Amino acid sequence: MRRFLVLAFLFCVHVRVCEGANDLYGALGLERGAGAGDIKKAYRSLSLIYHPDKQRNVDDVEKAKAGERFVEIQKAYAVLSDEESKRVYDLQIYLDESETQTNQGAGFRGRGTWDSGSTQEGLRQQSGFQEAELIASETTLLNEKNIEKLVFRSQKTWLIQIYDDASDSCHRAGPVWEQASRMTNGVANFGRVNTLTSPRLVQLLGSSGLFSRPIRRSDLPVIVGVRPNCRHYSCIKRYRGSIKVNLLLSFVGKKMLTLPDLVAITPNDVQSMTSYGDKVKFVYVSSKRPPLMVRYLAEEYSADVDVVWVDYETGDTKFWEQDLGVKKEPAMIIFRDFDRTVVDNVNSKDKIRLTLAQYRFQVIPRLTASNAHGVGCEPGGLTRVCFVAVGSKRSPSFVRLMQELANVRSSGKLSLTEDEVAFGWIDGLRNKKFVKTFANGTQLVALMFHRGKRGHVYYDQLKDWSTRDTLVAWISRVLVTEEGLPAAEFDAHLLFPIPGAPIDWRLLMKALRTDVSDMAESLWFFCLENGILPLVGTIFAIVAAGWFRVLVIRAPAMRKTAKQTSRKPQIVNLVDVHGTRLKEKSVYIAMVLESDSNSSFRDFAKDFKSEKLLAFVEASERVVDAFQWNEVFEDHKSNIIVWHPSRAKFQDIGNLDDRARVEARLNEILNGLGDWTDLQIDL
């Protein structure tokens, strides 16, 4: 029965091969466009069936057929496993099918392209694909089937070039594209999309963004960027600059990864630099600006390090070699507390990353929940003992303890390897739970992980470390014995503080600025490419011209009004004797110049309290000066002045000593019989 099933399977495959002898995908039992993983899996499965060693129990006829089939499988895999050969083969299949369909279409003589909705002819002209030289590339070839897996599930930035083998512009851009791909050193992935074999993908990449338009053949080559963690075509950003290496790298760094430039400092700053804080300071010394890789890694390790840049040419050779120990640029000068290290010739991606990873923590780093695992003060790793100093860097005795621990660590006399011993410190005031659990009033604690259960540690305390010998003797004893030591539960997230706020507002604002900038840029190019920008500019010019005309016509009147307003009294600042603000009230104001409250004037005001058109104000000299009424009150001292609602006219109704006369004059004013004097103000 088993032999019958094998023969039936061989017959079916043989029929399929005969139907399409030139179909390499069919030879492997795959659909066209299958990925590299599926090709390798199919090849291995079929090789196990048709390999000559597996045909010992069959007759000569079946053995010959299996041998031919095995050769076909080998040939198919040889072509499809090579990326460039596979691309050429896919392209040839597409052209053959297009020619067949064109010949079958009676009377069809149209000349269309991928951007006009027709892929039948697909640029088949004298300069078409069958005569064009294929553009070689080391970057990934993308299509509708693999872009979701490779690009939209990636944690890296992608730069994608949409190209056409028949385009001269694409051929000229090819070397620049390859050089930019190599110079990113893996910071971003580079891929390409062929307009002929993936027309639908081309339209998705070009039309999914905000304010975007379909990609035309005249636009090629088109480059788009995909940021990390992008899940849809809508977050694709189009590159608008010239295709040059430095501009492409700048696009990746600033627009796609939003990496900040390293702060530039002077050689004098380097000489005076120290690192007595939580972060290690790295100085990148180079005569050229920091490459993309340095900025990328500086951002990646920004929680633990600060990276700055100094120009090597700003200092002489003697200064760099003798004073700072830099022998060959580019170099890294690392400042850690109690330590300064120089690493020369950091000119490769691996060496830059290794340097940052090796020196990212201080000699005695401050322990937090985020770095406890990296430092080694957490169960489950290679570290066997972690020495934790408890105190504050404001204390001289604690600083001396830290320095002694740094000397012990750098002495190389410990009985364990560097990976098996870790050092750190915590602030006792901010880590009360750790102090209560392990320290109990001591300044130095040893945590031992290798014999405790997971989540539990043994610990020991040093009560007195007044001398270096005492400290070294205690450390040496802890490294070799644990007999009789207490154990306790350990959780880095509970014992060490978690730095930063729950919400990183800096990252949120950075993302907001990036989105707004992308939207404004997309809108600008949309207007520019669609001819809307001149219309918008014309409308803006018309509005600006009309506004300018109104401004010119109204300028004299506005200046006159401004002078009048500056000299005219503002009612809003006046308060009557009853405490009521005369804000925008059109009333007659009976005013007396008094520095203090005038009881006679207030009694007189009570008699006219029912008059809604009359208000009584005791004005100080400051108020009179503000309203420019100095001359009026100078000529009519100790008298009551009544102001017209316009504040441009006034009457002197006399002194309160003659109360009957003052009342009569006020009644005349309220009855409309007053004799007003114009206020003389130089406008």
Side-chain angles (χ1 to χ4, degrees), residues 204-370:
L204 288 174
L205 293 174
S207 306
S208 298
L210 189 64
F211 303 115
S212 60
R213 65 171 179 80
I215 297 174
R216 305 185 181 96
R217 176 174 166 78
S218 58
D219 298 334
L220 300 180
V222 172
I223 297 175
V224 297
V226 184
R227 290 193 176 96
N229 302 311
C230 176
R231 292 290 183 266
H232 192 262
Y233 293 95
S234 59
C235 58
I236 288 175
K237 180 173 178 57
R238 185 168 172 177
Y239 173 70
R240 304 284 183 175
S242 303
I243 300 183
K244 297 180 179 179
V245 175
N246 60 330
L247 296 180
L248 288 174
L249 296 180
S250 177
F251 175 75
V252 172
K254 293 185 177 180
K255 296 294 185 179
M256 304 310 300
L257 296 172
T258 60
L259 299 176
D261 292 327
L262 297 187
V263 177
I265 62 174
T266 64
N268 292 333
D269 296 331
V270 179
Q271 261 188 329
S272 60
M273 184 174 289
T274 59
S275 179
Y276 195 64
D278 293 339
K279 289 188 176 184
V280 179
K281 294 183 180 178
F282 284 74
V283 181
Y284 181 73
V285 183
S286 175
S287 55
K288 299 179 180 179
R289 296 195 67 85
L292 179 63
M293 172 56 68
V294 174
R295 294 164 53 204
Y296 176 77
L297 292 177
E299 184 71 12
E300 181 179 335
Y301 290 97
S302 60
D304 302 309
V305 306
D306 283 328
V307 184
V308 296
W309 168 63
V310 62
D311 191 350
Y312 182 82
E313 296 181 352
T314 57
D316 55 18
T317 306
K318 178 182 177 182
F319 169 78
W320 293 116
E321 291 186 0
Q322 297 183 7
D323 295 351
L324 294 176
V326 177
K327 297 179 180 179
K328 186 175 182 180
E329 63 155 331
M332 282 281 194
I333 306 176
I334 303 105
F335 292 88
R336 302 191 294 175
D337 45 18
F338 321 117
D339 180 48
R340 186 181 75 185
T341 308
V342 177
V343 180
D344 293 308
N345 199 26
V346 284
N347 54 2
S348 67
K349 171 185 66 176
D350 295 335
K351 193 165 186 179
I352 295 172
R353 182 181 289 276
L354 179 63
T355 302
L356 284 168
Q358 183 178 357
Y359 298 100
R360 63 183 291 190
F361 298 119
Q362 298 281 15
V363 178
I364 309 295
R366 181 175 183 177
L367 297 176
T368 63
S370 59

Side-chain angles (χ1 to χ4, degrees), residues 588-631:
Y588 297 100
I589 298 177
M591 184 177 294
V592 63
L593 180 60
E594 294 287 350
S595 57
D596 298 321
S597 298
N598 190 321
S599 57
S600 301
F601 183 73
R602 289 176 175 269
D603 293 339
F604 179 67
K606 290 180 181 180
D607 295 339
F608 290 87
K609 189 174 182 179
S610 60
E611 294 289 348
K612 302 300 182 183
L613 295 178
L614 186 61
F616 292 83
V617 176
E618 294 174 327
S620 63
E621 293 184 359
R622 184 179 60 82
V623 174
V624 171
D625 291 340
F627 288 87
Q628 300 184 11
W629 292 335
N630 310 69
E631 297 182 0

